[in-house]
Amino acid sequence: MDILDVVLIVAITTVVVGGIFLALYEVEFKYLERENRMLWRLLSDQAKLHKMSLDAYIAMLQASSPHTGR
């Protein structure tokens, strides 16, 4: 077996293994991107609910206050 054959086998093996790892990491990256978008949506919805809750609480306090009651 020639040194060129060994180098060629190592190079082909490296490319194949690298391609497999690249494909696996790409799948994992896409999964994490989807999960990240979902978490951003959940946090955004939670922030909206907190704001609505605070607005409702302020309105309730204003309505029950003798100075600003309507």
Side-chain angles (χ1 to χ4, degrees):
M1 201 141 115
D2 210 350
I3 189 76
L4 185 60
D5 293 338
V6 172
V7 170
L8 188 59
I9 291 171
V10 169
I12 291 172
T13 304
T14 304
V15 168
V16 169
V17 170
I20 291 170
F21 277 120
L22 183 65
L24 291 175
Y25 280 115
E26 186 176 331
V27 168
E28 181 71 16
F29 187 75
K30 286 181 181 180
Y31 169 77
L32 290 174
E33 278 184 324
R34 281 193 310 267
E35 192 166 313
N36 190 23
R37 282 193 301 270
M38 182 179 65
L39 288 173
W40 271 106
R41 276 189 235 118
L42 288 172
L43 287 173
S44 176
D45 290 346
Q46 184 180 25
K48 289 175 189 173
L49 287 173
H50 281 291
K51 184 176 179 343
M52 289 171 42
S53 176
L54 181 62
D55 290 345
Y57 181 71
I58 290 171
M60 182 182 69
L61 286 177
Q62 287 175 343
S64 66
S65 172
H67 300 294
T68 60
R70 295 178 185 153

